Amino acid sequence: MIRTTFLIPLTLCLSVCVAATSASAGKYNTVLDIGDSAPAWNALPGTDGREHSLKSLADSKVVVVVFTCNSCPYAVDAEQRINALVDRYQGKSVAVVAINVNKVEQDRLPAMKQRAKEQGFKYPYLWDESQQIAKDYGAKYTPQFFVLDGDRKVVYMGAMDDSPAGDEVTKTYVIDAVDATLSGNPVAITETIPIGCRIRIERQRRKSQR
């Protein structure tokens, strides 16, 4: 009887905890779910020498946010496809923004500026030294995409398409999400598994207790 008395509350607790977790996160994202308000960024420095915020994109009907970096081969493979995304929606009220939070030397802002210049990036490339914006979005890979609607709700998150290298694309997840949102239609595929390199989030060191 004693074991049963303690087992039942523990089972109930586990059920409640699992339910609470699934109610606040997506299928492949541990922080955000589809329909959540997108976390805002403020005063992030860009490779263009300016500071950027989500609020400055208020006139855009759709915002595509991609977490990326210089050092990941998957991210490098996506660079010109992101440029093509910008070209595709030129003049259609779609903003594309890339954010990098890695702090290794090859991913810091000076190297970002060089990369953006060499590759002719047509989109803002921002750096968050605090890494907080990636944590807020639950972003764990580069590249990882989020599509936001006019109310800045998340309507899609995950991979750009079904081909990490971009050479055998059959499903254009981000394009489909943007097109549906611009047309006022629901997004058919709202979440996919992002494929890429792990974002290098710094571990918080515990203070030693003396």
Side-chain angles (χ1 to χ4, degrees), residues 29 32-35 63-65 137 144-149 153-162 171-178 181 187-194:
N29 189 307
L32 290 182
D33 199 359
I34 299 302
V63 175
V64 179
V65 182
Y137 273 79
Q144 187 167 348
F145 292 78
F146 296 79
V147 178
L148 318 180
D149 66 11
K153 303 290 186 182
V154 179
V155 297
Y156 172 80
M157 52 188 179
M160 185 177 195
D161 48 46
D162 63 345
K171 297 179 181 179
T172 52
Y173 303 125
V174 169
I175 288 174
D176 293 348
V178 172
T181 305
V187 176
I189 299 177
T190 57
E191 192 174 359
T192 61
I193 300 174

Side-chain angles (χ1 to χ4, degrees), residues 43-47 98-104 107-110 112 125-130:
L44 290 187
T47 56
I99 302 176
N100 177 17
V101 303
N102 285 347
K103 298 172 72 172
V104 294
D107 282 332
R108 298 180 74 87
L109 191 56
M112 289 171 57
Y125 190 20
L126 317 182
W127 190 54
D128 182 9
E129 186 172 14
S130 75

Side-chain angles (χ1 to χ4, degrees), residues 30-184:
T30 59
V31 177
L32 290 182
D33 199 359
I34 299 302
D36 285 351
S37 295
W41 61 86
N42 295 290
L44 290 187
T47 56
D48 57 1
R50 298 165 49 203
E51 291 188 341
H52 297 255
S53 67
L54 177 59
K55 187 178 180 180
S56 67
L57 305 175
D59 293 337
S60 298
K61 295 178 181 178
V62 177
V63 175
V64 179
V65 182
V66 51
F67 288 89
T68 188
C69 68
N70 292 353
S71 60
C72 172
Y74 292 96
V76 171
D77 285 342
E79 289 173 346
Q80 293 308 317
R81 285 188 286 158
I82 299 172
N83 265 352
L85 195 68
V86 175
D87 289 340
R88 180 185 183 93
Y89 294 106
Q90 191 70 39
K92 296 183 179 180
S93 195
V94 176
V96 179
V97 180
I99 302 176
N100 177 17
V101 303
N102 285 347
K103 298 172 72 172
V104 294
E105 200 63 34
Q106 62 265 41
D107 282 332
R108 298 180 74 87
L109 191 56
M112 289 171 57
K113 290 180 178 180
Q114 181 177 351
R115 186 73 188 173
K117 183 178 180 180
E118 289 175 352
Q119 299 301 313
F121 288 176
K122 300 177 181 181
Y123 46 90
Y125 190 20
L126 317 182
W127 190 54
D128 182 9
E129 186 172 14
S130 75
Q131 301 189 314
Q132 188 58 49
I133 195 63
K135 297 175 185 178
D136 291 344
Y137 273 79
K140 291 182 170 61
Y141 297 92
T142 56
Q144 187 167 348
F145 292 78
F146 296 79
V147 178
L148 318 180
D149 66 11
D151 296 323
R152 299 304 176 254
K153 303 290 186 182
V154 179
V155 297
Y156 172 80
M157 52 188 179
M160 185 177 195
D161 48 46
D162 63 345
S163 176
D167 53 354
E168 297 180 358
V169 177
T170 62
K171 297 179 181 179
T172 52
Y173 303 125
V174 169
I175 288 174
D176 293 348
V178 172
D179 287 348
T181 305
L182 286 174
S183 301

